[in-house]
Amino acid sequence: MDKEKNIQLRRVFGYYWSTSFLIINIIGAGIFVAPKGVLKYCSMNVGLSLCVWAGCAVLSMTTTLCSAEIGINFPCSGSNYYFMKRCFGSLIAFLYLWTSLIQGPGIIAGQALLLAEYGIQPFYPSCSAPELSKKCLALAMLWIVGILTSRGVKEVTWLQIASTVLKMSILGLISLSGVVLLVKGRKENVEWFQNAFDGEFPDASQLTEAVFQGYFAYSGAGSFTLIAGELKTPRKTIPRIVFTAVPMVTIVYLLVNISYLTVLTPKEIVSSDAVAITWTDRVFPSLAWVIPFAISASLFSNLLINVFESARVIYIAGQQGHLPLLFHTLNSYSSPFLSVLLLVSMGSLAIVLTNLIDLINYFYFMVTFCSVLSAVGILKQRFQEPDLPSSYKVFLPFPSIAMAIGLSLVLIPLAKSLSVQYVVLLFVFSGLLFYIPLIHFKLRLVWFEKMTCYLQLLFNICIPDVSDEH
Protein backbone atom coordinates (compact mmCIF):
# COMPACT_ATOMS: atom_id res chain seq x y z
CA MET A 1 0.00 0.00 0.00
CA ASP A 2 1.31 3.44 -0.91
CA LYS A 3 2.04 5.13 2.43
CA GLU A 4 2.29 8.60 0.89
CA LYS A 5 -1.25 8.47 -0.40
CA ASN A 6 -4.14 9.02 2.00
CA ILE A 7 -6.58 6.13 1.83
CA GLN A 8 -10.06 7.46 2.64
CA LEU A 9 -13.40 8.22 1.03
CA ARG A 10 -13.09 11.76 -0.25
CA ARG A 11 -15.65 14.43 -1.00
CA VAL A 12 -15.18 14.46 -4.75
CA PHE A 13 -18.73 14.62 -6.13
CA GLY A 14 -20.09 18.02 -7.02
CA TYR A 15 -23.43 19.30 -8.25
CA TYR A 16 -23.42 17.87 -11.78
CA TRP A 17 -22.33 14.35 -10.85
CA SER A 18 -24.71 14.28 -7.88
CA THR A 19 -27.63 15.38 -10.04
CA SER A 20 -26.77 12.71 -12.58
CA PHE A 21 -26.54 10.17 -9.75
CA LEU A 22 -30.01 11.06 -8.47
CA ILE A 23 -31.59 11.02 -11.94
CA ILE A 24 -30.19 7.55 -12.62
CA ASN A 25 -31.50 6.27 -9.28
CA ILE A 26 -35.00 7.56 -9.95
CA ILE A 27 -35.26 6.60 -13.62
CA GLY A 28 -34.93 2.84 -13.78
CA ALA A 29 -36.98 0.39 -15.79
CA GLY A 30 -40.16 1.75 -14.20
CA ILE A 31 -41.00 4.37 -16.82
CA PHE A 32 -40.73 1.74 -19.54
CA VAL A 33 -43.32 -0.54 -17.92
CA ALA A 34 -45.11 1.33 -15.07
CA PRO A 35 -47.51 3.37 -17.31
CA LYS A 36 -49.36 0.12 -17.89
CA GLY A 37 -50.12 -0.31 -14.19
CA VAL A 38 -51.09 3.31 -13.58
CA LEU A 39 -53.48 3.37 -16.55
CA LYS A 40 -54.93 -0.01 -15.64
CA TYR A 41 -55.80 0.94 -12.07
CA CYS A 42 -57.12 4.32 -13.23
CA SER A 43 -59.73 2.38 -15.26
CA MET A 44 -58.01 3.67 -18.43
CA ASN A 45 -59.01 7.24 -17.57
CA VAL A 46 -56.33 9.23 -19.41
CA GLY A 47 -56.67 12.52 -17.53
CA LEU A 48 -56.73 10.84 -14.14
CA SER A 49 -53.63 8.76 -14.95
CA LEU A 50 -51.65 11.91 -15.78
CA CYS A 51 -52.83 13.50 -12.53
CA VAL A 52 -51.62 10.41 -10.64
CA TRP A 53 -48.14 10.79 -12.18
CA ALA A 54 -48.03 14.45 -11.15
CA GLY A 55 -49.35 13.67 -7.66
CA CYS A 56 -46.74 10.93 -7.16
CA ALA A 57 -44.05 13.50 -7.97
CA VAL A 58 -45.34 15.73 -5.15
CA LEU A 59 -45.37 12.78 -2.73
CA SER A 60 -41.86 11.82 -3.80
CA MET A 61 -40.65 15.37 -3.20
CA THR A 62 -41.98 15.40 0.38
CA THR A 63 -40.19 12.14 1.29
CA THR A 64 -37.02 13.27 -0.52
CA LEU A 65 -36.90 16.49 1.50
CA CYS A 66 -37.05 14.39 4.67
CA SER A 67 -34.03 12.45 3.42
CA ALA A 68 -32.36 15.79 2.67
CA GLU A 69 -32.50 16.76 6.35
CA ILE A 70 -30.73 13.51 7.29
CA GLY A 71 -28.10 13.84 4.56
CA ILE A 72 -27.34 17.49 5.34
CA ASN A 73 -27.17 17.17 9.11
CA PHE A 74 -25.32 13.83 9.11
CA PRO A 75 -23.14 14.04 5.96
CA CYS A 76 -21.46 10.64 6.13
CA SER A 77 -21.62 7.57 3.92
CA GLY A 78 -24.72 5.54 4.76
CA SER A 79 -26.14 8.48 6.73
CA ASN A 80 -29.61 6.91 6.85
CA TYR A 81 -28.22 3.90 8.72
CA TYR A 82 -26.16 6.16 11.01
CA PHE A 83 -29.21 8.35 11.72
CA MET A 84 -31.30 5.29 12.61
CA LYS A 85 -28.62 4.04 15.00
CA ARG A 86 -28.45 7.45 16.64
CA CYS A 87 -32.24 7.80 17.02
CA PHE A 88 -33.37 4.26 17.85
CA GLY A 89 -30.26 2.56 19.17
CA SER A 90 -28.04 -0.28 18.11
CA LEU A 91 -30.65 -3.05 17.84
CA ILE A 92 -33.00 -1.32 15.37
CA ALA A 93 -30.06 -0.19 13.25
CA PHE A 94 -28.68 -3.74 13.16
CA LEU A 95 -32.04 -5.20 12.08
CA TYR A 96 -32.17 -2.56 9.32
CA LEU A 97 -28.67 -3.62 8.25
CA TRP A 98 -29.60 -7.29 8.48
CA THR A 99 -32.55 -6.77 6.13
CA SER A 100 -30.39 -4.73 3.75
CA LEU A 101 -27.84 -7.53 3.50
CA ILE A 102 -30.47 -9.67 1.73
CA GLN A 103 -32.57 -6.96 0.11
CA GLY A 104 -29.59 -5.21 -1.52
CA PRO A 105 -28.13 -8.26 -3.31
CA GLY A 106 -31.65 -9.36 -4.28
CA ILE A 107 -32.38 -6.04 -5.98
CA ILE A 108 -28.96 -6.09 -7.65
CA ALA A 109 -29.62 -9.60 -8.95
CA GLY A 110 -33.03 -8.56 -10.26
CA GLN A 111 -31.52 -5.57 -12.08
CA ALA A 112 -28.81 -7.76 -13.63
CA LEU A 113 -31.41 -10.23 -14.90
CA LEU A 114 -33.57 -7.41 -16.28
CA LEU A 115 -30.51 -5.98 -18.02
CA ALA A 116 -29.76 -9.41 -19.51
CA GLU A 117 -33.39 -9.79 -20.59
CA TYR A 118 -33.33 -6.56 -22.63
CA GLY A 119 -29.83 -7.23 -23.93
CA ILE A 120 -30.38 -10.75 -25.22
CA GLN A 121 -34.02 -10.67 -26.31
CA PRO A 122 -33.34 -9.00 -29.73
CA PHE A 123 -31.45 -12.15 -30.73
CA TYR A 124 -34.64 -14.19 -30.14
CA PRO A 125 -37.34 -12.14 -31.92
CA SER A 126 -39.91 -14.93 -32.16
CA CYS A 127 -39.43 -16.70 -28.82
CA SER A 128 -38.22 -16.24 -25.27
CA ALA A 129 -34.47 -16.21 -24.62
CA PRO A 130 -33.02 -19.29 -22.84
CA GLU A 131 -32.79 -18.91 -19.08
CA LEU A 132 -29.20 -20.16 -19.01
CA SER A 133 -28.09 -17.48 -21.47
CA LYS A 134 -29.79 -14.75 -19.47
CA LYS A 135 -28.23 -15.91 -16.23
CA CYS A 136 -24.75 -16.15 -17.73
CA LEU A 137 -25.02 -12.62 -19.16
CA ALA A 138 -26.42 -11.31 -15.86
CA LEU A 139 -23.51 -12.85 -13.94
CA ALA A 140 -21.00 -11.39 -16.39
CA MET A 141 -22.52 -7.90 -16.11
CA LEU A 142 -22.63 -8.09 -12.31
CA TRP A 143 -18.96 -9.01 -12.00
CA ILE A 144 -17.94 -6.34 -14.52
CA VAL A 145 -19.78 -3.82 -12.35
CA GLY A 146 -18.02 -5.18 -9.27
CA ILE A 147 -14.60 -4.77 -10.90
CA LEU A 148 -15.36 -1.22 -12.05
CA THR A 149 -16.70 -0.20 -8.63
CA SER A 150 -13.67 -1.62 -6.83
CA ARG A 151 -11.38 0.54 -8.97
CA GLY A 152 -12.61 3.74 -7.40
CA VAL A 153 -14.89 6.55 -8.46
CA LYS A 154 -13.22 7.68 -11.69
CA GLU A 155 -14.58 4.89 -13.90
CA VAL A 156 -17.94 5.04 -12.16
CA THR A 157 -18.20 8.77 -12.81
CA TRP A 158 -17.58 8.59 -16.55
CA LEU A 159 -19.82 5.57 -17.09
CA GLN A 160 -22.59 7.18 -15.11
CA ILE A 161 -22.49 10.40 -17.08
CA ALA A 162 -22.46 8.50 -20.40
CA SER A 163 -25.38 6.36 -19.26
CA THR A 164 -27.35 9.40 -18.09
CA VAL A 165 -26.95 10.98 -21.52
CA LEU A 166 -28.08 7.72 -23.18
CA LYS A 167 -31.08 7.29 -20.89
CA MET A 168 -32.24 10.88 -21.29
CA SER A 169 -31.74 10.58 -25.07
CA ILE A 170 -34.11 7.60 -25.20
CA LEU A 171 -36.75 9.36 -23.15
CA GLY A 172 -36.16 12.60 -25.07
CA LEU A 173 -36.73 10.78 -28.36
CA ILE A 174 -39.99 9.32 -27.08
CA SER A 175 -41.13 12.66 -25.61
CA LEU A 176 -40.32 14.86 -28.59
CA SER A 177 -41.78 12.40 -31.09
CA GLY A 178 -45.02 12.36 -29.14
CA VAL A 179 -45.13 16.16 -28.97
CA VAL A 180 -44.58 16.40 -32.75
CA LEU A 181 -47.38 13.92 -33.45
CA LEU A 182 -49.66 15.73 -31.02
CA VAL A 183 -48.95 19.13 -32.61
CA LYS A 184 -49.78 17.74 -36.04
CA GLY A 185 -53.24 17.22 -34.64
CA ARG A 186 -54.22 14.02 -36.40
CA LYS A 187 -57.53 12.77 -35.06
CA GLU A 188 -56.20 9.42 -33.95
CA ASN A 189 -53.40 11.16 -32.02
CA VAL A 190 -55.44 13.69 -30.06
CA GLU A 191 -58.78 12.01 -29.43
CA TRP A 192 -57.69 10.68 -26.02
CA PHE A 193 -56.81 14.21 -24.82
CA GLN A 194 -59.89 16.05 -26.07
CA ASN A 195 -62.09 14.51 -23.38
CA ALA A 196 -59.42 13.22 -21.03
CA PHE A 197 -61.65 12.86 -17.95
CA ASP A 198 -64.71 11.39 -19.67
CA GLY A 199 -63.71 7.82 -18.90
CA GLU A 200 -64.79 5.70 -15.96
CA PHE A 201 -63.46 6.71 -12.54
CA PRO A 202 -61.94 3.96 -10.37
CA ASP A 203 -62.93 3.26 -6.78
CA ALA A 204 -60.70 4.21 -3.86
CA SER A 205 -58.82 0.88 -3.71
CA GLN A 206 -57.99 0.98 -7.42
CA LEU A 207 -56.85 4.60 -7.21
CA THR A 208 -54.58 3.66 -4.30
CA GLU A 209 -53.03 0.90 -6.41
CA ALA A 210 -52.46 3.39 -9.23
CA VAL A 211 -50.67 5.74 -6.82
CA PHE A 212 -48.46 2.86 -5.65
CA GLN A 213 -47.54 2.02 -9.25
CA GLY A 214 -46.59 5.60 -10.01
CA TYR A 215 -44.83 6.17 -6.69
CA PHE A 216 -42.55 3.16 -7.24
CA ALA A 217 -41.37 4.75 -10.50
CA TYR A 218 -40.03 7.66 -8.40
CA SER A 219 -38.36 5.41 -5.82
CA GLY A 220 -34.68 6.05 -5.21
CA ALA A 221 -35.04 9.81 -4.87
CA GLY A 222 -33.57 9.73 -1.35
CA SER A 223 -30.57 7.57 -2.28
CA PHE A 224 -28.12 10.48 -1.94
CA THR A 225 -28.06 9.78 1.81
CA LEU A 226 -25.96 6.69 1.07
CA ILE A 227 -23.15 8.75 -0.47
CA ALA A 228 -23.51 11.94 1.59
CA GLY A 229 -19.98 11.41 2.88
CA GLU A 230 -18.58 11.84 -0.64
CA LEU A 231 -20.52 14.95 -1.70
CA LYS A 232 -18.79 18.31 -1.83
CA THR A 233 -20.40 20.86 0.52
CA PRO A 234 -23.51 18.68 1.17
CA ARG A 235 -25.28 21.61 2.87
CA LYS A 236 -25.48 23.38 -0.51
CA THR A 237 -25.32 20.42 -2.90
CA ILE A 238 -28.17 18.28 -1.56
CA PRO A 239 -30.98 20.90 -1.79
CA ARG A 240 -29.79 21.90 -5.27
CA ILE A 241 -29.78 18.35 -6.64
CA VAL A 242 -33.20 17.59 -5.11
CA PHE A 243 -34.84 20.64 -6.66
CA THR A 244 -33.13 19.93 -9.99
CA ALA A 245 -33.53 16.17 -10.39
CA VAL A 246 -37.07 15.55 -9.10
CA PRO A 247 -38.79 18.31 -11.19
CA MET A 248 -36.76 17.28 -14.26
CA VAL A 249 -37.79 13.63 -13.88
CA THR A 250 -41.41 14.68 -13.34
CA ILE A 251 -41.50 16.65 -16.61
CA VAL A 252 -39.89 13.76 -18.49
CA TYR A 253 -42.33 11.23 -17.02
CA LEU A 254 -45.35 13.33 -17.99
CA LEU A 255 -44.08 13.91 -21.54
CA VAL A 256 -43.28 10.22 -22.01
CA ASN A 257 -46.77 9.21 -20.84
CA ILE A 258 -48.34 11.78 -23.17
CA SER A 259 -46.24 10.36 -26.00
CA TYR A 260 -47.38 6.81 -25.22
CA LEU A 261 -51.01 7.94 -25.24
CA THR A 262 -50.51 9.89 -28.46
CA VAL A 263 -49.36 6.80 -30.36
CA LEU A 264 -51.10 3.93 -28.54
CA THR A 265 -54.61 3.48 -27.24
CA PRO A 266 -55.13 2.88 -23.52
CA LYS A 267 -56.04 -0.74 -24.27
CA GLU A 268 -52.82 -1.25 -26.21
CA ILE A 269 -50.78 0.21 -23.34
CA VAL A 270 -52.48 -2.00 -20.76
CA SER A 271 -51.98 -5.13 -22.89
CA SER A 272 -48.27 -4.43 -23.53
CA ASP A 273 -45.54 -5.88 -21.28
CA ALA A 274 -42.95 -3.38 -22.55
CA VAL A 275 -44.67 -0.14 -23.56
CA ALA A 276 -41.50 1.52 -24.87
CA ILE A 277 -40.83 -1.31 -27.32
CA THR A 278 -44.46 -1.36 -28.48
CA TRP A 279 -44.26 2.41 -29.02
CA THR A 280 -41.04 2.03 -31.03
CA ASP A 281 -42.56 -0.67 -33.24
CA ARG A 282 -45.35 1.76 -34.11
CA VAL A 283 -43.33 4.98 -34.61
CA PHE A 284 -39.80 3.84 -35.62
CA PRO A 285 -40.01 0.22 -36.82
CA SER A 286 -36.44 0.37 -38.11
CA LEU A 287 -35.19 1.10 -34.57
CA ALA A 288 -37.04 -1.82 -32.98
CA TRP A 289 -33.77 -3.63 -32.27
CA VAL A 290 -31.94 -0.49 -31.06
CA ILE A 291 -34.25 0.49 -28.19
CA PRO A 292 -33.85 -2.78 -26.19
CA PHE A 293 -30.06 -2.43 -26.40
CA ALA A 294 -30.25 1.21 -25.36
CA ILE A 295 -32.53 0.35 -22.42
CA SER A 296 -30.14 -2.45 -21.45
CA ALA A 297 -27.20 -0.02 -21.52
CA SER A 298 -29.08 2.49 -19.39
CA LEU A 299 -29.98 -0.23 -16.88
CA PHE A 300 -26.26 -0.99 -16.60
CA SER A 301 -25.81 2.35 -14.86
CA ASN A 302 -28.57 1.53 -12.34
CA LEU A 303 -26.78 -1.71 -11.52
CA LEU A 304 -23.47 0.12 -11.21
CA ILE A 305 -24.85 2.81 -8.91
CA ASN A 306 -26.71 0.30 -6.74
CA VAL A 307 -23.54 -1.67 -6.07
CA PHE A 308 -21.67 1.59 -5.48
CA GLU A 309 -24.12 2.99 -2.92
CA SER A 310 -25.01 -0.30 -1.16
CA ALA A 311 -21.33 -0.94 -0.47
CA ARG A 312 -21.24 2.31 1.53
CA VAL A 313 -23.80 1.00 4.05
CA ILE A 314 -21.71 -2.13 4.65
CA TYR A 315 -18.61 0.04 4.92
CA ILE A 316 -20.00 2.28 7.68
CA ALA A 317 -21.55 -0.72 9.45
CA GLY A 318 -18.01 -2.07 9.83
CA GLN A 319 -16.97 1.24 11.38
CA GLN A 320 -19.94 1.23 13.79
CA GLY A 321 -19.20 -2.31 15.00
CA HIS A 322 -22.22 -4.05 13.44
CA LEU A 323 -20.00 -5.92 10.97
CA PRO A 324 -16.37 -7.04 11.30
CA LEU A 325 -13.88 -4.18 11.07
CA LEU A 326 -12.55 -5.90 7.95
CA PHE A 327 -15.47 -4.41 5.99
CA HIS A 328 -14.38 -0.92 7.06
CA THR A 329 -11.30 -1.14 4.84
CA LEU A 330 -10.33 0.43 1.54
CA ASN A 331 -8.05 -0.68 -1.27
CA SER A 332 -5.45 1.47 -3.01
CA TYR A 333 -8.22 3.04 -5.14
CA SER A 334 -10.01 4.20 -1.94
CA SER A 335 -12.86 1.78 -2.65
CA PRO A 336 -14.48 -0.52 -0.03
CA PHE A 337 -13.37 -3.63 -1.90
CA LEU A 338 -14.62 -6.27 0.55
CA SER A 339 -18.04 -4.62 0.79
CA VAL A 340 -18.32 -4.70 -3.01
CA LEU A 341 -17.11 -8.31 -3.09
CA LEU A 342 -19.75 -9.34 -0.53
CA LEU A 343 -22.54 -7.66 -2.51
CA VAL A 344 -21.48 -9.13 -5.85
CA SER A 345 -21.04 -12.62 -4.40
CA MET A 346 -24.46 -12.62 -2.73
CA GLY A 347 -26.02 -11.11 -5.86
CA SER A 348 -24.49 -13.89 -7.97
CA LEU A 349 -25.97 -16.47 -5.63
CA ALA A 350 -29.38 -14.81 -6.00
CA ILE A 351 -29.08 -14.95 -9.80
CA VAL A 352 -28.32 -18.67 -9.75
CA LEU A 353 -31.06 -19.38 -7.20
CA THR A 354 -33.99 -17.63 -8.86
CA ASN A 355 -36.28 -18.25 -5.89
CA LEU A 356 -34.27 -15.78 -3.87
CA ILE A 357 -35.25 -13.01 -6.28
CA ASP A 358 -38.89 -13.85 -5.63
CA LEU A 359 -38.26 -13.03 -1.97
CA ILE A 360 -37.67 -9.38 -2.93
CA ASN A 361 -41.44 -8.93 -2.83
CA TYR A 362 -41.40 -10.06 0.79
CA PHE A 363 -38.62 -7.72 1.90
CA TYR A 364 -39.33 -4.64 -0.23
CA PHE A 365 -41.91 -3.31 2.17
CA MET A 366 -39.41 -3.69 5.04
CA VAL A 367 -37.24 -1.08 3.33
CA THR A 368 -40.34 1.10 3.08
CA PHE A 369 -40.93 0.58 6.79
CA CYS A 370 -37.38 1.81 7.41
CA SER A 371 -38.32 5.04 5.62
CA VAL A 372 -41.21 5.33 8.08
CA LEU A 373 -38.72 4.96 10.93
CA SER A 374 -36.60 7.71 9.39
CA ALA A 375 -39.61 10.05 9.37
CA VAL A 376 -40.39 9.11 12.98
CA GLY A 377 -36.73 9.74 13.84
CA ILE A 378 -36.91 13.25 12.38
CA LEU A 379 -39.97 14.06 14.50
CA LYS A 380 -38.40 12.45 17.56
CA GLN A 381 -35.23 14.48 17.14
CA ARG A 382 -37.19 17.67 16.50
CA PHE A 383 -39.12 17.42 19.80
CA GLN A 384 -36.50 15.76 22.03
CA GLU A 385 -33.52 17.82 20.85
CA PRO A 386 -34.97 21.16 19.75
CA ASP A 387 -31.68 22.97 20.36
CA LEU A 388 -29.58 20.55 18.30
CA PRO A 389 -27.59 22.58 15.71
CA SER A 390 -29.08 21.88 12.29
CA SER A 391 -28.14 23.25 8.89
CA TYR A 392 -31.54 22.35 7.44
CA LYS A 393 -34.91 21.40 8.87
CA VAL A 394 -37.66 20.04 6.67
CA PHE A 395 -41.15 21.60 6.88
CA LEU A 396 -42.74 19.78 9.84
CA PRO A 397 -45.84 18.30 8.07
CA PHE A 398 -43.61 16.59 5.48
CA PRO A 399 -42.38 13.81 7.84
CA SER A 400 -46.02 13.10 8.72
CA ILE A 401 -46.88 12.79 5.02
CA ALA A 402 -43.88 10.49 4.51
CA MET A 403 -45.08 8.35 7.43
CA ALA A 404 -48.58 8.08 5.95
CA ILE A 405 -47.22 7.05 2.54
CA GLY A 406 -44.82 4.53 4.03
CA LEU A 407 -47.41 2.97 6.33
CA SER A 408 -49.80 2.59 3.39
CA LEU A 409 -47.11 0.84 1.37
CA VAL A 410 -46.46 -1.47 4.32
CA LEU A 411 -49.97 -2.25 5.58
CA ILE A 412 -51.78 -2.79 2.28
CA PRO A 413 -49.47 -5.62 1.08
CA LEU A 414 -49.79 -7.20 4.54
CA ALA A 415 -53.60 -7.05 4.34
CA LYS A 416 -53.51 -8.76 0.96
CA SER A 417 -51.20 -11.58 2.02
CA LEU A 418 -50.76 -12.56 5.66
CA SER A 419 -47.99 -14.99 4.68
CA VAL A 420 -45.83 -11.94 3.89
CA GLN A 421 -46.05 -10.90 7.53
CA TYR A 422 -44.84 -14.25 8.88
CA VAL A 423 -41.98 -14.62 6.38
CA VAL A 424 -40.67 -11.11 6.95
CA LEU A 425 -40.98 -11.19 10.74
CA LEU A 426 -39.23 -14.56 10.83
CA PHE A 427 -36.38 -13.26 8.72
CA VAL A 428 -36.01 -9.92 10.51
CA PHE A 429 -35.94 -11.40 14.00
CA SER A 430 -33.53 -14.11 12.89
CA GLY A 431 -30.99 -11.27 12.96
CA LEU A 432 -31.17 -11.51 16.77
CA LEU A 433 -29.29 -14.82 16.53
CA PHE A 434 -26.28 -12.79 15.39
CA TYR A 435 -26.90 -9.56 17.29
CA ILE A 436 -27.16 -11.04 20.79
CA PRO A 437 -23.87 -13.02 20.87
CA LEU A 438 -21.73 -10.92 18.50
CA ILE A 439 -22.90 -7.35 19.19
CA HIS A 440 -24.58 -7.33 22.60
CA PHE A 441 -22.22 -9.77 24.37
CA LYS A 442 -19.28 -8.86 22.07
CA LEU A 443 -18.25 -12.45 21.41
CA ARG A 444 -14.96 -12.53 19.52
CA LEU A 445 -14.02 -15.28 17.07
CA VAL A 446 -10.27 -15.86 17.32
CA TRP A 447 -10.05 -17.68 14.01
CA PHE A 448 -11.70 -14.75 12.22
CA GLU A 449 -9.27 -12.25 13.72
CA LYS A 450 -6.38 -14.37 12.44
CA MET A 451 -7.99 -14.62 9.00
CA THR A 452 -8.33 -10.82 8.90
CA CYS A 453 -4.55 -10.38 8.59
CA TYR A 454 -4.35 -12.81 5.69
CA LEU A 455 -7.25 -11.15 3.87
CA GLN A 456 -5.66 -7.71 4.27
CA LEU A 457 -2.46 -8.98 2.67
CA LEU A 458 -4.31 -10.93 -0.04
CA PHE A 459 -6.52 -8.04 -1.19
CA ASN A 460 -4.08 -5.20 -0.35
CA ILE A 461 -6.58 -3.38 1.85
CA CYS A 462 -6.23 -1.32 5.03
CA ILE A 463 -8.16 0.68 7.59
CA PRO A 464 -8.79 4.18 6.13
CA ASP A 465 -6.75 7.12 7.28
CA VAL A 466 -8.38 9.53 9.70
CA SER A 467 -9.93 12.43 7.81
CA ASP A 468 -9.00 16.00 8.71
CA GLU A 469 -12.65 16.99 8.27
CA HIS A 470 -14.69 17.40 11.45
Side-chain angles (χ1 to χ4, degrees):
M1 194 74 69
D2 187 358
K3 295 183 179 180
E4 297 181 358
K5 177 183 177 182
N6 287 331
I7 305 299
Q8 57 188 220
L9 294 181
R10 299 179 179 84
R11 296 192 180 277
V12 295
F13 301 134
Y15 167 73
Y16 294 106
W17 188 93
S18 304
T19 303
S20 174
F21 170 87
L22 193 54
I23 289 174
I24 282 182
N25 267 280
I26 300 174
I27 303 178
I31 189 57
F32 301 111
V33 293
K36 169 183 176 178
V38 174
L39 199 57
K40 175 183 176 182
Y41 289 110
C42 285
S43 300
M44 293 190 285
N45 188 308
V46 172
L48 183 61
S49 70
L50 294 177
C51 290
V52 166
W53 281 102
C56 289
V58 175
L59 295 177
S60 177
M61 179 63 82
T62 61
T63 56
T64 304
L65 290 175
C66 293
S67 298
E69 177 172 336
I70 297 174
I72 291 172
N73 295 326
F74 303 95
C76 61
S77 297
S79 59
N80 212 23
Y81 158 80
Y82 178 82
F83 176 75
M84 200 165 295
K85 185 172 184 288
R86 187 182 185 278
C87 280
F88 301 105
S90 180
L91 176 59
I92 298 298
F94 180 83
L95 293 179
Y96 164 78
L97 173 68
W98 174 250
T99 305
S100 300
L101 287 176
I102 296 297
Q103 177 71 19
I107 291 176
I108 289 168
Q111 288 179 330
L113 285 171
L114 184 62
L115 188 158
E117 176 78 30
Y118 274 100
I120 206 171
Q121 191 58 49
F123 295 101
Y124 298 88
S126 58
C127 61
S128 298
E131 286 295 321
L132 180 61
S133 300
K134 287 191 288 187
K135 288 188 176 183
C136 289
L137 181 58
L139 286 170
M141 291 296 101
L142 181 56
W143 281 94
I144 289 172
V145 163
I147 293 171
L148 291 172
T149 306
S150 64
R151 291 184 60 84
V153 300
K154 186 175 181 180
E155 286 81 0
V156 174
T157 301
W158 285 107
L159 282 171
Q160 179 200 342
I161 292 174
S163 182
T164 304
V165 171
L166 177 61
K167 184 176 293 187
M168 296 305 289
S169 298
I170 298 170
L171 297 177
L173 173 66
I174 295 174
S175 301
L176 292 177
S177 300
V179 170
V180 170
L181 292 173
L182 195 60
V183 169
K184 286 184 177 179
R186 290 186 297 178
K187 183 178 179 181
E188 61 272 17
N189 297 135
V190 300
E191 60 180 349
W192 298 112
F193 300 100
Q194 291 175 341
N195 301 295
F197 293 93
D198 285 352
E200 179 184 352
F201 275 80
D203 56 33
S205 62
Q206 288 179 311
L207 185 59
T208 303
E209 289 285 354
V211 172
F212 289 165
Q213 293 283 330
Y215 185 73
F216 285 145
Y218 288 95
S219 61
S223 56
F224 53 82
T225 58
L226 300 177
I227 60 163
E230 295 166 81
L231 299 180
K232 295 178 180 178
T233 57
R235 181 186 303 181
K236 296 179 180 178
T237 302
I238 290 177
R240 290 173 64 194
I241 64 175
V242 169
F243 286 104
T244 300
V246 176
M248 183 183 297
V249 170
T250 302
I251 293 171
V252 170
Y253 277 8
L254 289 173
L255 289 176
V256 167
N257 276 277
I258 290 172
S259 180
Y260 288 157
L261 290 164
T262 301
V263 175
L264 305 171
T265 66
K267 289 184 178 179
E268 289 174 329
I269 293 175
V270 170
S271 62
S272 174
D273 292 327
V275 182
I277 295 177
T278 305
W279 182 93
T280 306
D281 290 337
R282 187 70 57 84
V283 181
F284 300 110
S286 59
L287 298 180
W289 64 274
V290 175
I291 295 297
F293 278 119
I295 294 174
S296 182
S298 68
L299 291 175
F300 182 84
S301 63
N302 289 85
L303 180 61
L304 183 70
I305 292 301
N306 259 287
V307 174
F308 183 85
E309 65 187 17
S310 298
R312 269 57 187 170
V313 178
I314 298 175
Y315 171 79
I316 195 174
Q319 180 194 47
Q320 296 294 314
H322 281 175
L323 287 176
L325 186 62
L326 190 62
F327 289 103
H328 186 63
T329 55
L330 301 173
N331 61 11
S332 57
Y333 298 100
S334 294
S335 173
F337 175 78
L338 278 186
S339 300
V340 173
L341 182 62
L342 177 65
L343 280 170
V344 172
S345 300
M346 294 179 68
S348 300
L349 184 63
I351 289 173
V352 175
L353 304 176
T354 311
N355 289 335
L356 283 179
I357 298 174
D358 296 335
L359 290 177
I360 295 174
N361 294 326
Y362 292 100
F363 299 117
Y364 186 86
F365 87 92
M366 186 59 195
V367 175
T368 306
F369 183 70
C370 291
S371 69
V372 175
L373 286 180
S374 297
V376 173
I378 291 174
L379 295 174
K380 178 176 179 288
Q381 179 181 271
R382 192 72 61 86
F383 289 106
Q384 289 188 351
E385 302 176 272
D387 298 327
L388 185 71
S390 177
S391 303
Y392 167 77
K393 290 185 178 181
V394 69
F395 184 47
L396 197 57
F398 284 4
S400 302
I401 296 173
M403 287 171 53
I405 297 169
L407 286 174
S408 299
L409 294 173
V410 168
L411 296 177
I412 290 178
L414 286 178
K416 289 184 176 180
S417 177
L418 292 177
S419 62
V420 173
Q421 181 179 7
Y422 299 123
V423 172
V424 173
L425 289 178
L426 180 63
F427 171 77
V428 170
F429 287 108
S430 67
L432 294 175
L433 299 176
F434 295 88
Y435 178 82
I436 293 174
L438 298 177
I439 309 299
H440 184 72
F441 291 107
K442 299 181 180 180
L443 178 65
R444 291 292 175 261
L445 304 175
V446 178
W447 62 269
F448 187 83
E449 293 179 356
K450 291 181 178 179
M451 187 176 68
T452 298
C453 297
Y454 294 107
L455 291 175
Q456 282 187 275
L457 294 172
L458 177 63
F459 295 120
N460 193 26
I461 56 179
C462 68
I463 302 296
D465 298 317
V466 178
S467 175
D468 295 331
E469 179 183 349
H470 177 64

